[in-house]
Amino acid sequence: SGSSSVNWPPEFRPGEPWKGYPNIDP
Amino acid sequence: QEPLTASMLAAAPPQEQKQILGERLYPLIHAMHPFLAGKITGMLLEIDNSELLLMLESPESLHSKIEEAVAVLQVHQMSESSHKSA
């Protein structure tokens, strides 16, 4: 089983929609 | 740019709230760490919105949080590169 931590943390890019943490509960 | 308030943020959908906070945080972080700004902003967006709002109002707490994030990021990158080179 591979680790998905390589791409952590997701990068915020100004002007682009932020979808780094899609599982946020309101 | 007018200060971001809790009511302004509450008027936006949850996903957009992080976007709005990120757009405010990014230039402040970029001024301190131009090459890591995107990653640091991404890390800080894990924090509660209410706390992020407080940080935007308090440069001192924002700065200390940024330094904390940089330290975590450096440790993370070091462990990643040691895994790769092993």
Side-chain angles (χ1 to χ4, degrees):
Chain A
S1 57
S3 167
S4 60
S5 67
V6 178
N7 292 323
W8 183 91
E11 193 163 355
F12 180 87
R13 295 172 204 273
E16 289 183 23
W18 170 247
K19 31 185 193 270
Y21 302 98
N23 298 322
I24 298 163
D25 288 325
Chain B
Q1 200 172 26
E2 59 180 319
L4 188 62
T5 63
S7 56
M8 281 164 68
L9 205 59
Q15 186 64 29
E16 215 167 287
Q17 292 176 8
K18 292 289 183 189
Q19 175 80 29
I20 293 166
L21 286 162
E23 297 284 355
R24 297 290 180 132
L25 286 166
Y26 184 87
L28 303 172
I29 297 169
H30 190 267
M32 291 175 71
H33 296 281
F35 299 108
L36 294 172
K39 292 279 186 190
I40 297 169
T41 309
M43 287 173 78
L44 294 190
L45 287 177
E46 282 184 85
I47 299 169
D48 276 354
N49 290 357
S50 54
E51 199 178 327
L52 290 172
L53 272 175
L54 290 174
M55 281 160 52
L56 281 168
E57 286 171 16
S58 162
E60 278 172 32
S61 59
L62 179 63
H63 285 189
S64 68
K65 211 69 179 177
I66 291 172
E67 294 309 325
E68 215 176 282
V70 170
V72 171
L73 192 58
Q74 283 172 344
V75 169
H76 176 75
Q77 286 177 339
M78 269 193 287
S79 74
E80 287 294 335
S81 60
S82 68
H83 281 304
K84 274 179 206 161
S85 61

